[in-house]
């Protein structure tokens, strides 16, 4: 199970490597209690990594996340979101209209979420499959 986890995430990071050269901080500065996050976006596409360091559930509104000035989104646009927390099984989330961002994302205690922003699900999934190495004991 540990080897599969490692292989899945290694394949994911190899595939999205171009996005990781960019960094935008989202949410308030980390304090070890409230959710924290970083974005890795190029021209409005890429990934956000959210972390809940607390020992209780948390919820963050899309407005809190997506209207962060550092992301430089066109606030008249719609953002398509995908959950990549399980990199081999992405889940399409809602589309969020930035003129009136609605909705939120829930996080379990001591958890993380990886959210794709305007990414091509098929292309990223195909890349992960190509980069996924299988190890035999």
């Amino acid at each position: 199970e540990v080897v599969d986890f490692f292989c899945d995430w290694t394949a994911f990071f190899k595939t999205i490597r171009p996005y990781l050269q960019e960094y935008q901080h989202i949410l308030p500065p980390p304090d070890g209690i409230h959710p924290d996050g970083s974005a890795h976006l190029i021209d409005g596409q890429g990934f956000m990594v959210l972390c809940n360091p607390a020992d209780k559930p948390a919820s963050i509104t899309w407005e809190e996340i997506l209207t962060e000035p550092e992301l430089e989104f066109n606030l008249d646009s719609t953002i398509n979101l995908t959950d990549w927390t399980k990199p081999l099984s992405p889940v399409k989330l809602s589309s969020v209209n930035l003129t009136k961002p609605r909705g939120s994302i829930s996080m379990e205690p001591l958890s993380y979420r990886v959210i794709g922003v305007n990414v091509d699900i098929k292309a990223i999934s195909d890349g992960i499959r190509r980069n996924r190495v299988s190890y035999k004991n």
Side-chain angles (χ1 to χ4, degrees), residues 11-52:
F12 178 78
F13 285 115
K14 281 182 178 181
T15 305
I16 70 159
R17 187 177 302 154
Y19 295 111
L20 298 178
Q21 297 173 31
E22 297 295 324
Y23 173 85
Q24 300 92 16
H25 191 83
I26 53 178
L27 300 174
D31 62 6
I33 298 168
H34 299 95
D36 186 26
S38 66
H40 305 276
L41 305 174
I42 298 172
D43 297 328
Q45 295 182 325
F47 294 86
M48 296 183 296
V49 179
L50 305 172
C51 173
N52 178 15

Side-chain angles (χ1 to χ4, degrees), residues 1 17 20 26-27 42 51 72 79 84 86 96 103 107 119:
E1 188 175 316
R17 187 177 302 154
L20 298 178
I26 53 178
L27 300 174
I42 298 172
C51 173
E72 298 179 350
I79 303 294
W84 291 84
K86 294 182 181 179
V96 177
M107 298 183 67
V119 296

Side-chain angles (χ1 to χ4, degrees), residues 35-109:
D36 186 26
S38 66
H40 305 276
L41 305 174
I42 298 172
D43 297 328
Q45 295 182 325
F47 294 86
M48 296 183 296
V49 179
L50 305 172
C51 173
N52 178 15
D55 58 0
K56 60 183 179 180
S59 182
I60 312 163
T61 67
W62 289 123
E63 183 173 18
E64 288 175 272
I65 298 170
L66 299 175
T67 58
E68 172 61 47
E70 196 167 337
L71 298 179
E72 298 179 350
F73 283 131
N74 172 355
L75 296 180
D76 293 327
S77 65
T78 297
I79 303 294
N80 297 310
L81 303 169
T82 315
D83 189 335
W84 291 84
T85 305
K86 294 182 181 179
L88 298 181
S89 308
V91 176
K92 190 171 183 178
L93 299 174
S94 60
S95 294
V96 177
N97 182 332
L98 294 181
T99 10
K100 293 183 183 176
R102 294 199 170 108
S104 62
I105 187 163
S106 298
M107 298 183 67
E108 293 299 316

